[in-house]
Amino acid sequence: MKGFRFTQFVPPQDPEKNTFENLLNIFLQLVTMTGGDAAEALSWLSNLDKRYNLTNPNYGIGDFIEELKSKGYLTEENQKGEFKITGKAEQSIRKSALEEIFGKLKRGKSGQHKTTHSGQGEERGSDRRSYQFGDNLDQIALTDSLRNAQVNHGFGGDYLLTEDDLEIVENEYKSQTSTVLMIDISHSMILYGEDRITPAKKVAMALAELIKTRYPKDTLDIIVFGNDAWQIEIKDLPYLQVGPYHTNTVAGLELAMDLLRRRKNPNKQIFMITDGKPTCLKIGIKYYKNAFGIDSKILNRTLKLAAQCRKLKIPVTTFMIASDPYLKEFVKEFTKVNNGNAYYSSLKGLGDLIFEDFRRNRTKRF
């Protein structure tokens, strides 16, 4: 039997172009790990090249650096003449994080996620109801309304269409959500030989790029917290580093609540990525610190804020990158007071968990 047999088409590759793209992917990963230090990332890349032969005789690391500059990923035009990544590189890092963590979303529809609620929305749904005063004419289901008129009044005589015959197509309600992402930058995020801050940064960048490209009406604010808490811009994420800090969860929650008060969206939520218990409070200009066990003074202030968030209908989802029993007890109590969610996540599964919770929270009204 004659026929056609289809095989996978593999287009011819330009070796130099392929080398640049491979090196670029590695370089962007290294920049994230070095906190935005391009020179250190290039040094690491050179060492990797010596060990794994990433380049070839016709294309070396020097060629790669020149191409980075010519294509706008790298610049030396600053007062110190140092290598700095550009805004284009920062965006590429966010896109790379999106592909790595939320790549499975590619087949989904773009735009805003829909909820199970109907109402004043932008997209026509499948539900029908009777006409009510104030409904827009473009919501009338014409075919269904004409059928109702024929059933109710028959075919003879003058054609009659009344208000009672009209059916309305419900528009699907599209939710808008304001999210605050809190990232712990205390010293424990790099202790014990485990880099916990890089996966947290990648998740933050992926979530930021996801919201900017697919949910443009949503808002995302990013907070880092150590001894204090402060807001950072999305473009600052590749440069984020931990410091010699304790964990002031109270300061982070207070800032998150303040930011959400300014947002007009009805749906608000807080995601908190941390690897430890709260160990610090700021009282006036002084810091109250206790890293030994769970301090009741710090715990009570933290739980009080959890209760305030619940009263304001702001769920807090905690992603605990640790599994110590006493930490689980803290998270369990915090989650109970807030009526939120908690996950004891490994670094590998952090992105999937955050997306699933983000998607679930977008499909309900708080």
Side-chain angles (χ1 to χ4, degrees), residues 58 157 161 167-168 185 200 217 231 283 296 301 305 354:
N58 298 320
L161 177 69
E167 280 195 21
I168 295 297
I185 58 168
K217 293 185 179 180
Q231 186 178 9
I283 304 175
S296 60
R301 284 282 301 276
L305 285 177
I354 285 186

Side-chain angles (χ1 to χ4, degrees), residues 63-77:
D63 298 312
F64 174 66
I65 294 174
E66 289 302 316
E67 197 164 356
L68 283 176
K69 291 191 289 186
S70 66
K71 292 187 175 180
Y73 292 99
L74 200 64
T75 181
E76 291 180 281
E77 297 177 1

Side-chain angles (χ1 to χ4, degrees), residues 104-111 113 214:
K104 63 186 179 183
L105 298 180
K106 285 185 177 179
R107 296 184 180 181
K109 289 185 178 180
S110 61
H113 279 185
R214 304 203 179 194

